[in-house]
Each structure stands twice: as C-alpha cells, then as structure tokens.
Amino acid sequence: MLCNFLISQRLEPSELIAALAYATRVRPGQVDVCAEADSQDARDWEAFVLCTHHRVRGDVAMSLDVQVQPATLAYGAPETEAELAVAFAARTGVAVLYPDDRVDPETYWLAAPAGGSPATVVTRARLAFSDVASADERPVYTVDAVETAVAAFPGAEVTPLGEPAGMNAPSDTSQLGVTG
C-alpha cells in the first residue's frame, strides 16, 4: 500500500517510527524513515514500512510518502490509506490529510483528533496551495475549508464540500473510535 500524507505538525524521525510501528502493528525496527534530502544509500529497503518525509510550508508541516508491505497485514496492519491515517492521527495527535481523487485535486480526507476525546474525526478538507516562482521553492499549503471543525486548522471555514451523489467516507471507521 502506498500512502501520501500531509500532517499538521513537524514530527521527529523517532516519532514517525514509533507512530508508524504502532499504526501498522510492527516493531519499530521494521520501520525505515528517511528525509527526502538525505542519502538513500543507508535505507533498509526490506523494512515492512518505508517512509520518506520532507518539510512543507503553510498549514501543514510535513509531507510523508509511506509504503507498507503486504506482509504487515499478518500483524493486523490497516488495509487502506484511510485506516492508516486514522491510526497515525490517533497515535500522534496530529491532523493527517490524505488524497481524495474522486472529487477534485484540492479536496482531501482529514483524520484529526476530536478535541479532548480519544476518538478521531474523519472529515473532508479543501487544501489550496500557492504557485511557486522557481523549482527550488516549495508551495505554501492552506487548509481553507473543512466539513467538521478541527483544532489543527482553526482558520478554516466550516462548510459542506462538494461531492458526487452516493459518495461516502472512504471506509467504515466506526470500529476505530472515529466520529465524523
């Protein structure tokens, strides 16, 4: 499974390892985390979970490219990007945006802690990004709208986001303590 996450707070590599190990139910030693700018030569390409991260600007602080090997399913790892996002958000307390390619490229799913509760909210968010002047610059990301208010993005407008008829949340997250 390949996942693309944008997260609301910067996490240290040790925190990423711990959270991904928890979320996929594997030992931390089976998770390899590396910054995009670092040398890829020392990577453990046989690890159950590979994560490449880099900093971004704006309302989100980091981008994570996560690859989870199918063998992790034997340990009870999540089967979908949505389930992994919920588990990661629950463990770290950060908001996790992940793509929703069904509507438009600015609309994402958002898994975020439900203020003061162990539950995680799954809702939709609109992510805008600035144009960049050069290849050396990274865009600035802004979460300008959410369907359910979350603490990570207090400036976002709470409003329904367009969705084709018959579309629902990406998976049944009711057993994960999720509301939304």
Side-chain angles (χ1 to χ4, degrees):
M1 166 175 56
L2 297 174
C3 304
N4 298 298
F5 295 157
L6 293 167
I7 62 175
S8 62
Q9 294 177 20
R10 184 170 171 3
L11 297 176
E12 294 299 320
S14 60
E15 294 172 299
L16 292 171
I17 290 169
L20 289 167
Y22 171 84
T24 58
R25 299 182 181 171
V26 300
R27 293 188 334 267
Q30 296 171 318
V31 178
D32 180 81
V33 170
C34 184
E36 179 183 64
D38 291 347
S39 171
Q40 303 293 306
D41 294 338
R43 303 256 355 220
D44 177 4
W45 296 106
E46 301 299 318
F48 283 157
V49 181
L50 296 169
C51 174
T52 304
H53 63 87
H54 64 270
R55 291 183 184 190
V56 293
R57 302 183 308 154
D59 289 343
V60 293
M62 294 181 82
S63 173
L64 309 178
D65 296 322
V66 181
Q67 181 179 351
V68 180
Q69 299 298 328
T72 61
L73 294 175
Y75 298 95
E79 294 183 29
T80 68
E81 185 174 35
E83 292 169 341
L84 183 60
V86 167
F88 188 89
R91 177 64 174 188
T92 61
V94 303
V96 179
L97 291 147
Y98 53 100
D100 179 7
D101 299 329
R102 301 174 303 174
V103 180
D104 68 62
E106 292 180 345
T107 303
Y108 282 68
W109 287 106
L110 168 62
S117 162
T120 300
V121 172
V122 175
T123 190
R124 292 165 35 83
R126 186 172 57 226
L127 183 70
F129 54 92
S130 66
D131 291 329
V132 293
S134 73
D136 295 335
E137 285 186 72
R138 296 208 187 255
V140 175
Y141 293 93
T142 304
V143 177
D144 64 0
V146 292
E147 288 189 326
T148 302
V150 295
F153 306 115
E157 176 186 7
V158 178
T159 185
L161 298 174
E163 182 171 32
M167 294 283 186
N168 293 316
S171 66
D172 177 13
T173 54
S174 60
Q175 296 179 357
L176 299 172
V178 175
T179 61

